[in-house]
Amino acid sequence: MSAIELHDVVKSWGPARAVDGVSFEAAEGSLLVLLGPSGCGKSTTLRLIAGLEQPDSGTIMIGGADVTHLTPARRRIAMVFQSYALFPHLSVAENIVFGLRVRGVSRAERDARLKRVADIVGLSQLLDRKPSQLSGGQRQRVALGRSIIAEARVCLMDEPLSNLDAKLRHEMRTEIRSLQQRLGMTMVYVTHDQTEAMTMADRVVLMRDGRIEQNGSPEQLYSRPATPFTARFIGTPPMNLIARDGGLIGIRPEHIRIVSQDGHPARVRSVEHLGADSIVVCEIEGQPVAVRLDGFSKVAPGDRVTLAWSRDDEHQFDAATDQRAAPMPDGMKQVAAG
Ligand code: ADP
Ligand code: MG
């Protein structure tokens, strides 16, 4: 039994379908990331799971029970939003236990849970402070603490890290992931950031225009993208797509090398040095091709270079169907590779 199941869920605003026949399942104790560009329907999907919106049609199950028509309170799930409104006049401790107090949980029980949760989110030393005396990351952790103290089995998060700077975002995604695993929570985590999806998720559901583009493990989305859209959404820089023979060949920048002979002649357009590696944008037959090279590359714009990659790293897409082409049988592949 899956902890969360959506079956053919539809939600429209006027004539526009924000969620257009979405079905997926999140396994008990797993972290599922809803990924996709802005406006693709991630937040609406999350709000449907929470019960903050009603679907036009379809079914939502939590823990095997049909909750499609239950109020949010009766679904017993915790939520963290991007704008994590804290009560400014309450201390960190009071903010965290607020929900328990409302529900009439005893003082002793509240104190015991507060101690545990404060430890987990690293706020034990800051419990007496007011939100105004905290950094952005610390406030985010108060919001996290407030949601996990409820000990709900299911936790929904909507872009909870987007207000934080890059370094803190990196720390927090590691913390959220380890917390989710330690507590065995089932989590649905919304983000437009493919790095968050790749690093945190057991399963990624990539959305586009209200529909699911691909549903799989991070590894599957990276190594076997079903469509050019997935191919370019996952990975930085995005996969190169080169038009050829009525189809598209996809090749990731990290799978291309500069060689001294036997490859594709190319001209360097631009070079970007990132420190650990360099992104070199070249041109093959008029088409741009990004190459990721280790270290500080010495090539310069205007240079003529030869690019090579392994046949095994090529992805083929059918231009007519916009889908991954069926893989060639092994025998054919050997012939093709010569
Ligand atoms: P995402 O979270 O992926 O950025 P949303 O789920 O917020 O996308 O929005 C999906 C689509 O639904 C967008 O076109 C958005 O404008 C529309 N939408 C979302 N909420 C509402 C609403 N309350 N009223 C009307 N349109 C909405
Ligand atoms: Mg959103």
Side-chain angles (χ1 to χ4, degrees):
M1 182 187 74
S2 293
I4 302 173
E5 292 173 46
L6 275 71
H7 297 288
D8 211 11
V9 171
V10 174
K11 175 71 183 176
S12 305
W13 307 108
R17 284 194 168 192
V19 176
D20 191 5
V22 161
S23 305
F24 63 81
E25 298 184 11
E28 175 93 44
S30 72
L31 193 158
L32 181 146
V33 167
L34 277 179
L35 176 69
S38 176
C40 72
K42 306 179 297 294
S43 294
T44 306
T45 304
L46 203 71
R47 292 172 61 80
L48 286 162
I49 299 172
L52 298 171
E53 308 289 353
Q54 277 290 305
D56 304 335
S57 60
T59 312
I60 299 171
M61 321 263 291
I62 296 179
D66 186 340
V67 300
T68 314
H69 302 291
L70 292 189
T71 60
R74 295 193 54 207
R75 301 188 188 198
R76 305 196 52 80
I77 51 189
M79 270 197 95
V80 184
F81 296 98
Q82 178 180 347
S83 55
Y84 37 88
L86 302 177
F87 297 111
H89 57 289
L90 297 183
S91 68
V92 167
E94 289 162 339
N95 264 288
I96 293 177
V97 301
F98 185 82
L100 298 186
R101 194 188 280 268
V102 169
R103 293 203 335 244
V105 174
S106 75
R107 174 82 200 245
E109 164 105 27
R110 284 199 316 255
D111 287 350
R113 286 211 216 169
L114 173 62
K115 187 171 176 313
R116 213 157 50 225
V117 167
D119 258 1
I120 291 172
V121 295
L123 288 171
S124 302
Q125 309 303 317
L126 305 174
L127 289 175
D128 296 327
R129 294 222 189 147
K130 294 279 165 57
S132 62
Q133 301 168 304
L134 300 176
S135 71
Q138 290 164 339
R139 285 181 213 173
Q140 184 63 59
R141 281 188 260 166
V142 178
L144 266 178
R146 191 174 54 181
S147 70
I148 62 177
I149 203 167
E151 295 182 1
R153 301 187 59 84
V154 171
C155 183
L156 309 178
M157 296 201 179
D158 194 350
E159 313 232 14
L161 307 184
S162 46
N163 291 332
L164 309 182
D165 64 51
K167 182 168 171 294
L168 198 54
R169 233 173 22 228
H170 181 255
E171 277 172 31
M172 290 299 296
R173 71 179 190 238
T174 314
E175 278 186 42
I176 292 174
R177 174 58 163 164
S178 70
L179 194 70
Q180 173 268 328
Q181 290 180 316
R182 231 178 318 151
L183 301 181
M185 279 188 280
T186 306
M187 189 177 284
V188 180
Y189 185 103
V190 162
T191 182
H192 64 273
D193 179 345
Q194 61 95 25
T195 309
E196 275 179 27
M198 291 300 282
T199 53
M200 297 176 76
D202 294 301
R203 175 165 290 276
V204 179
V205 172
L206 175 61
M207 293 183 69
R208 176 192 190 186
D209 296 338
R211 293 167 179 266
I212 295 180
E213 183 81 2
Q214 190 167 352
N215 174 347
S217 66
E219 210 262 328
Q220 281 167 341
L221 268 73
Y222 176 83
S223 20
R224 290 193 60 79
T227 62
F229 178 86
T230 306
R232 286 188 63 80
F233 204 87
I234 303 286
T236 46
M239 185 187 284
N240 298 297
L241 294 177
I242 306 169
R244 193 193 284 170
D245 306 335
L248 280 175
I249 303 288
I251 180 79
R252 294 204 177 275
E254 54 272 36
H255 292 151
I256 305 180
R257 305 176 310 281
I258 292 185
V259 294
S260 51
Q261 54 184 16
D262 295 339
H264 305 266
R267 201 180 54 82
V268 175
R269 271 193 193 173
S270 65
V271 182
E272 203 178 24
H273 297 292
L274 301 175
D277 43 28
S278 308
I279 308 299
V280 179
V281 178
C282 303
E283 200 177 290
I284 298 182
E285 293 165 17
Q287 303 190 61
V289 175
V291 182
R292 181 197 284 275
L293 301 174
D294 284 343
F296 200 92
S297 171
K298 296 284 192 296
V299 301
D303 284 0
R304 299 206 168 268
V305 294
T306 306
L307 303 182
W309 57 83
S310 157
R311 267 285 168 95
D312 290 341
D313 290 326
E314 278 187 2
H315 304 254
Q316 322 246 356
F317 298 101
D318 186 316
T321 60
D322 211 32
Q323 296 289 312
R324 188 180 189 85
M328 274 190 280
D330 279 349
M332 291 276 294
K333 206 164 167 179
Q334 274 159 20
V335 173

